[in-house]
Amino acid sequence: MTIKTEATTSRFPSRLIVIAGTYDGVLAGWDTVQHTREQDEHDIDLKLLRRNDGKHLKLSFAMAAHEGSVRCLDVASAAVPPSGANGGKKRPRSDNEHEAGQTMPLHEPGALLSGGFDETINVFHLQKHAQAGELKTPDDLGSPLCCSFAPPSTSASVGPPTHALVGLTSGKIVLYKKRDWSVQHVLSGHDEGGVQCLAVHPTGRMALSGGRDGKIVLWDLMKGRLAFVYKLPSMGKKTKRKEAVNHIVWSADGNRYAFCYGTKITARDVASGDDLLDVDIPSRVNQLAFIGGPEGMFLAAACDDGGLPVLEVGQLEEEGDANTRRAIMAIEPVDKLVAGDDRLKCIRAVDGGSGFLVVTANSGGVVSVMDLEGAARMMLTGSTEDESDGGEESGSENAADNDEDSAEELEMAVDILDTVRLGSGARITNLTAWSYAGEDDIDDEDDVEESSLASESASDVDDGEEESIEEKEVATAKKTQGKRKDSTSKIELDAETVEKARKLVGQAKKHQQRKKKKLESKTG
């Protein structure tokens, strides 16, 4: 994925579904809807909708799912046969077809898995908005803390999931067959502190788990056994106690993984095992998300102080850049001792759009869809002192242009595409998202200019009372996020590091310009 040197128009994926769980056991879901003319007078930000091709999130369901807090959530994709196949009727793909490598487009959401403090695991049918089943965790294994389908529901997945993993407070991981929800394996690798997080590789063949015991375990899911254990360093010389692993995540291509514990963020290369990133930031890190692509890989972090730092992970092509890491604070931390409702609890990467989309949730029940391409672009193509090759323009004119460009870039380090709120008083504990990029989800500026706001949609408009309540909640959320949107700044570095970074960024920008000229000469 190429990072464009000019600001791009942010776009929603073809379809995005966001589901949140709360402390009081409620599940709420938002689905993507198309804006219609009838809604013009009620919309809060028409410019925002035009930039999103008229798409926005709307509450699609809310239900009581557990008697205690919702501990974990995950969504599976459903296979959809090509149009015209099987006489136009939809036929689910068998496990034999999956094992044989026969793939079908994953255009629709399938099952929703939720685990609660009440030691139950619920399965919901997302297309029908109905419960499909309920499981009790095996005896004496405790309540669920984390869950994931295998393979996971990402654009890189090989097919719809055939299994599901659930991590429990006992330190065990239960591997279920999705076909009949029978237990295939009970995996032992963590202490009784519990399994804090799970991440299944895009191939579905292996998984990583992080525990409250400070262990990161690699699992061979094909054989159902432990493959490798990594132990975090102790918190101090006088204690053997280790930090709990808060979150662990794979990159979309499966070549990198990252984890966080306390205030530490680490990213590693799978092939070599080398650290690509190992930093300590001011606040506790709750969750991580990979964004970007082959030419620029980044990590976005949801932090306890309400901050959202974006850190460069992928290596640039020039030699010497491997040891240089850049970071930008896309959303500034809250300026008070206790962040409270502004604490960022969850973050998930979203397929489609610019490739830099994430969905976040804070403790106050605010869910936001953000585009972080601006932050990534600022790190790779930021203004430098030596970026010109001796052009004809004067230095003063260049300085003025650079100042103006910098101001524009600072404003766009994070672009909030949509914000909704789960009602007053609701406290979100977990978040998951499902998205379908779509074949037409391409950065084509000509298509973006033609707003779909002028086209009629077949979606119905809800009654006025329900619509007005949702609008008030969205307006409140937008005011909260708006105060922090423009407060973007770079993480401070010492003078020597800044100078080195400028030179390396200049080299990267020159390289991009040369590649662009070569591409233009070939196409011309």
Side-chain angles (χ1 to χ4, degrees), residues 263-456:
T263 59
K264 297 273 290 186
I265 299 175
T266 302
R268 286 182 177 157
D269 179 76
V270 173
S272 65
D274 295 337
D275 284 350
L276 301 175
L277 182 72
D278 189 21
V279 297
D280 195 356
I281 65 174
S283 176
R284 181 181 187 272
V285 185
N286 292 318
Q287 288 189 355
L288 301 170
F290 272 105
I291 55 175
E295 295 188 18
M297 187 69 71
F298 304 85
L299 270 174
C303 298
D304 243 12
D305 61 2
L308 200 159
V310 180
L311 304 100
E312 190 267 327
V313 176
Q315 298 182 6
L316 299 180
E317 296 181 6
E318 281 78 4
E319 294 182 0
D321 278 10
N323 295 324
T324 302
R325 291 292 174 263
R326 290 175 286 275
I328 283 179
M329 192 65 75
I331 295 180
E332 284 289 337
V334 178
D335 189 18
K336 54 185 176 181
L337 295 177
V338 181
D341 288 349
D342 293 316
R343 180 184 296 113
L344 284 178
K345 293 277 292 182
C346 314
I347 186 168
R348 289 287 185 273
V350 175
D351 291 334
S354 65
F356 294 83
L357 300 186
V358 296
V359 57
T360 66
N362 68 14
S363 295
V366 178
V367 176
S368 301
V369 182
M370 304 180 185
D371 190 343
L372 299 174
E373 183 181 3
R377 186 175 63 251
M378 289 166 63
M379 280 184 275
L380 290 184
T381 61
S383 59
T384 61
E385 294 178 349
D386 59 343
E387 68 182 29
S388 63
D389 293 322
E392 296 180 359
E393 293 183 359
S394 65
S396 60
E397 292 175 344
N398 285 335
D401 292 339
N402 288 340
D403 290 341
E404 185 176 345
D405 293 340
S406 297
E408 293 178 357
E409 287 185 344
L410 283 173
E411 293 178 359
M412 295 302 294
V414 56
D415 190 5
I416 300 179
L417 306 186
D418 198 7
T419 301
V420 291
R421 187 168 186 170
L422 185 59
S424 58
R427 302 187 67 82
I428 292 178
T429 58
N430 212 282
L431 182 81
T432 190
W434 179 92
S435 60
Y436 169 57
E439 297 178 0
D440 60 342
D441 206 7
I442 304 172
D443 286 332
D444 188 340
E445 295 182 4
D446 294 335
D447 292 340
V448 171
E449 290 295 330
E450 298 179 2
S451 173
S452 60
L453 297 179
S455 63
E456 296 293 340

Side-chain angles (χ1 to χ4, degrees), residues 43-55:
D43 280 319
I44 297 164
D45 194 341
L46 290 177
K47 292 181 179 179
L48 194 70
L49 285 170
R50 292 189 184 99
R51 192 163 65 248
N52 297 342
D53 291 342
K55 296 170 185 165

Side-chain angles (χ1 to χ4, degrees), residues 504-516:
L504 292 172
V505 171
Q507 293 174 5
K509 192 166 185 177
K510 289 177 183 178
H511 179 76
Q512 283 188 333
Q513 291 173 349
R514 288 195 294 269
K515 286 179 67 176
K516 186 177 179 181

